[in-house]
Amino acid sequence: MKSVALALVAGSALAGCQTAALAPAGPELLLTGVGRYAVFADLSTRTRSGDHARIRSLQVVEPGFEVDGRAFWGGWSWWAFDCAAGTADRLDFASVSEGGIEGPAVPDTDPPYPAAPGGDAAELLAVTCSDARAGPILTTVEAAVTAGQQALTE
């Protein structure tokens, strides 16, 4: 998987950063897993067509994460899944700096891969393909960052 730090630097180096544009009703963020990062699925972006599904996820980094002196909350990624085959394809990464400013998306050109049990991709696939959900739904990025950073420090 591509280096998150590299993507954060690339996103912050490009001009034209903008505030994150989410679904009109706002995000519906569900914590899907905590490991190196806290990962949230944005249920408001979930779409499905047959065995294929897409969703946007928010990856939250530990408190105090900085790249080149700039504080970051994490980043957004679009994912595509083949629910029948159990494969995942991370399509991009857009950094989110402290305050919620979203950097431009950096494409992820790696091919789809099997979603390994217990990994971020498998946890997102479960929520996206089968509507599996457990836990509270958070409605702001700020709330997800707070909850994610707390989970990372536990």
Side-chain angles (χ1 to χ4, degrees):
M1 192 167 280
K2 292 182 177 55
S3 167
V4 172
L6 179 61
L8 289 170
V9 170
S12 67
L14 296 172
C17 290
Q18 58 187 4
T19 302
L22 301 176
E28 297 173 14
L29 299 163
L30 172 70
L31 181 65
T32 60
V34 179
R36 184 173 178 193
Y37 310 103
V39 178
F40 293 82
D42 183 356
L43 302 177
S44 73
T45 65
R46 181 178 45 203
T47 60
R48 183 149 183 193
S49 177
D51 289 335
H52 300 277
R54 286 177 44 107
I55 199 163
R56 195 172 193 213
S57 71
L58 177 64
Q59 178 178 300
V60 175
V61 296
E62 71 274 2
F65 184 91
E66 291 187 2
V67 175
D68 291 335
R70 185 171 173 192
F72 285 90
W73 284 349
W76 286 103
S77 290
W78 277 103
W79 289 80
F81 299 100
D82 183 322
C83 300
T87 59
D89 188 5
R90 185 177 186 170
L91 304 173
D92 65 4
F93 181 83
S95 64
V96 178
S97 60
E98 190 173 90
I101 305 300
E102 183 177 337
V106 176
D108 184 329
T109 58
D110 290 343
Y113 58 92
D120 293 340
E123 292 165 341
L124 286 166
L125 183 144
V127 168
T128 307
C129 293
S130 67
D131 197 28
R133 55 170 93 185
I137 303 296
L138 304 173
T139 58
T140 67
V141 172
E142 293 82 1
V145 169
T146 299
Q149 289 182 340
Q150 180 179 356
L152 286 167
T153 60
E154 293 177 349

